[in-house]
Amino acid sequence: MSPRGIILKDICFSYSNQNIFRDFNIKIPASKVSVILGPSGCGKSTLLNIIHGILIPDSGVIEKDKNDQLSYLFQEPRLLPWKTVSQNIELILKNHYEHKQRQKITRHYLEIIGLNDFGDYYPSELSGGMRQRVAIARAFAYPAEIILMDEPFQALDPGLKLNLTRLFSSLWTEDHRTSLFVTHDITEAIFLGDEIFVLSAKKPSAIVEHIINPVPRGKRHPEAPESLKIEARLYGLLTSD
Ligand code: ADP
């Protein structure tokens, strides 16, 4: 587990034509699901990429435990088409576990995502929702202390989205990995987020609100009165920018 979470201090970042963050600060708590909520183009993916190290800030400090590995779940599943479902998961375990253990971990995750009969299938033989389930399993199977997720359910229909959101929650409940979930979807934010950080549309992007979700994970549903209150607040924030 990551005892400290992730701390960003005074981060400045610009693309050639646009200043995205100026003196940006955030503390992502350990062992919780934090959601970054904001409209498209506000800088959510940029923030994830800075935390991941794919983008280097112009200035500022990123603090996390030295040994913290990161797992990244993208909008699209990014499975290797020439590998089977099992091989896609086993491959990322290669440098971490011996063969038998890799098979055991893969079986465990295939079972949780309800695809134990599909281990020998190729990604092209699965539906889009099944492929994304495999991608989620792979993200959790990787022995990373931190999981970064960039709108992983965005392209899916509402029913599937709800199922995968629940699946994420049950996987997360196994070991409470420090998770950072980026979305522009208020319902998703309220269902998943223990803490919700709202980013402004206006650049440089800033945190306009930090909400600690008062509704415990198992009791979150769209009609819970506390959730409705947060939803109203978030709608207000996202439409006032
Ligand atoms: P979000 O994830 O919230 O949709 P992004 O972080 O992808 O937002 O993008 C923030 C802003 O930076 C947007 O205006 C986007 O057009 C711009 N942007 C993203 N990537 C690049 C890039 N590689 N070069 C220049 N501008 C970029």
Side-chain angles (χ1 to χ4, degrees):
M1 277 304 117
S2 165
R4 277 206 308 183
I6 312 162
I7 299 168
L8 269 61
K9 281 186 189 158
D10 300 328
I11 295 290
C12 296
F13 180 86
S14 297
Y15 290 112
S16 53
N17 58 345
Q18 196 174 185
N19 183 209
I20 309 291
F21 297 113
R22 187 189 302 146
D23 297 327
F24 183 87
N25 291 282
I26 191 169
K27 188 173 183 307
I28 312 289
S31 311
K32 287 189 175 171
V33 180
S34 297
V35 169
I36 306 283
L37 178 72
S40 279
C42 75
K44 303 183 295 298
S45 299
T46 303
L47 185 63
L48 276 195
N49 287 334
I50 289 172
I51 292 170
H52 190 278
I54 298 167
L55 293 174
I56 308 294
D58 304 322
S59 60
V61 178
I62 302 163
E63 289 179 6
K64 57 185 171 60
D65 280 350
K66 237 203 186 120
N67 297 325
D68 278 357
Q69 300 266 351
L70 297 164
S71 193
Y72 209 136
L73 183 60
F74 298 92
Q75 279 174 21
E76 66 290 343
R78 299 199 182 186
L79 302 176
L80 298 175
W82 58 90
K83 298 266 181 207
T84 65
V85 165
S86 290
Q87 287 167 347
N88 263 283
I89 299 176
E90 280 182 38
L91 189 71
I92 53 111
L93 305 174
K94 209 164 182 173
N95 295 330
H96 302 275
Y97 304 101
E98 48 87 22
H99 183 61
K100 278 238 151 61
Q101 185 69 3
R102 291 205 294 270
Q103 287 184 320
K104 194 173 157 202
I105 294 170
T106 301
R107 272 200 305 274
H108 171 72
Y109 280 100
L110 285 184
E111 185 162 348
I112 299 183
I113 61 169
L115 292 180
N116 27 3
D117 291 336
F118 292 85
D120 294 332
Y121 282 54
Y122 286 89
S124 61
E125 298 174 297
L126 306 180
S127 68
M130 287 159 107
R131 282 197 285 272
Q132 195 57 311
R133 262 145 79 188
V134 177
I136 297 172
R138 186 176 59 173
F140 274 89
Y142 186 69
E145 288 76 12
I146 296 169
I147 301 187
L148 305 176
M149 287 158 290
D150 193 355
E151 311 214 36
F153 312 139
Q154 191 197 15
L156 305 169
D157 68 63
L160 204 50
K161 200 170 181 171
L162 187 63
N163 282 340
L164 289 180
T165 313
R166 287 188 178 135
L167 175 65
F168 168 81
S169 252
S170 56
L171 280 165
W172 182 85
T173 307
E174 278 208 317
D175 55 12
H176 294 201
R177 224 86 65 87
T178 301
S179 303
L180 186 57
F181 192 100
V182 151
T183 185
H184 62 264
D185 184 319
I186 290 176
T187 312
E188 214 168 68
I190 295 171
F191 188 79
L192 286 177
D194 300 316
E195 303 207 4
I196 303 167
F197 298 89
V198 185
L199 287 192
S200 64
K202 231 185 333 195
K203 311 276 190 339
S205 198
I207 294 170
V208 291
E209 187 95 359
H210 174 199
I211 293 173
I212 302 197
N213 198 340
V215 188
R217 183 159 298 274
K219 301 214 161 109
R220 290 177 198 160
H221 64 88
E223 304 304 320
E226 285 288 358
S227 298
L228 288 173
K229 235 194 268 175
I230 300 174
E231 187 178 5
R233 173 86 190 125
L234 292 175
Y235 267 115
L237 285 165
L238 289 190
T239 49
S240 71
D241 227 23

